[in-house]
Amino acid sequence: MTASAIEVRRSARRRRTVSAYREGDRTIVLIPARMSEAEERRWVTVMLDKLAAQENRRTIGDGELAERARRLSAQYFDGRARPASVRWVTNQNTRWGSCTPAEGSIRLSHRLQGMPEYVVDYVLLHELAHLLVPGHGPDFWRLLEAYPRTERARGYLEGVVAAARLPQLPGARAE
Ligand SMILES: [Zn+2]
């Protein structure tokens, strides 16, 4: 369901410029027709970073994060998920979020900062759902079905992981 998150379109009329935009669930990256495969990979990474930065320039503080968690729980889980704490952490690089149900604590990776709000909301909801249902069985995903952007957010995060695995050339970062 999430395989088509990124679409690269080559244009013969384009000589040097690269651009990218969101179109529904997909991200379209426009590149010159003559660009090599390696350059294409490099530019897709650059443009994904750039788009993400544009979409969420401000950083959400821990207080606002807790408020969002309350709002999302009320909206999608009838307020049943009540975390004792919600905060950003910087020591979590292999997971986007984690939850300790016994303590009611939810932690989100700082790597989500700068990503679109619907993606942050999805990860928050995912961890909130774990306060109600452990593991990732059918009951768990049924809860998340209430959130209309679950598939889209999962596709986005898969795209980020895929892009991170691409070879990075020096100087490829967006400014
Ligand atoms: Zn989970």
Side-chain angles (χ1 to χ4, degrees), residues 142-153:
R142 236 190 317 278
L143 271 179
L144 282 185
E145 272 170 18
Y147 181 59
R149 288 166 134 182
T150 288
E151 283 303 324
R152 182 174 171 188

Side-chain angles (χ1 to χ4, degrees), residues 20-73:
Y21 58 94
R22 308 280 189 212
E23 190 179 271
D25 287 352
R26 289 170 307 164
T27 301
I28 313 295
V29 182
L30 301 167
I31 63 170
R34 300 166 78 177
M35 208 173 246
S36 70
E37 294 286 319
E39 277 180 310
E40 171 183 324
R41 283 194 297 273
R42 176 168 79 90
W43 276 105
V44 166
T45 308
V46 168
M47 298 315 284
L48 283 180
D49 283 351
K50 231 177 186 174
L51 274 181
Q54 281 167 8
E55 284 165 354
N56 197 358
R57 283 189 193 285
R58 69 206 183 90
T59 300
I60 306 162
D62 283 347
E64 192 181 339
L65 205 56
E67 177 52 38
R68 267 168 100 153
R70 264 191 297 278
R71 206 187 63 219
L72 289 166
S73 176

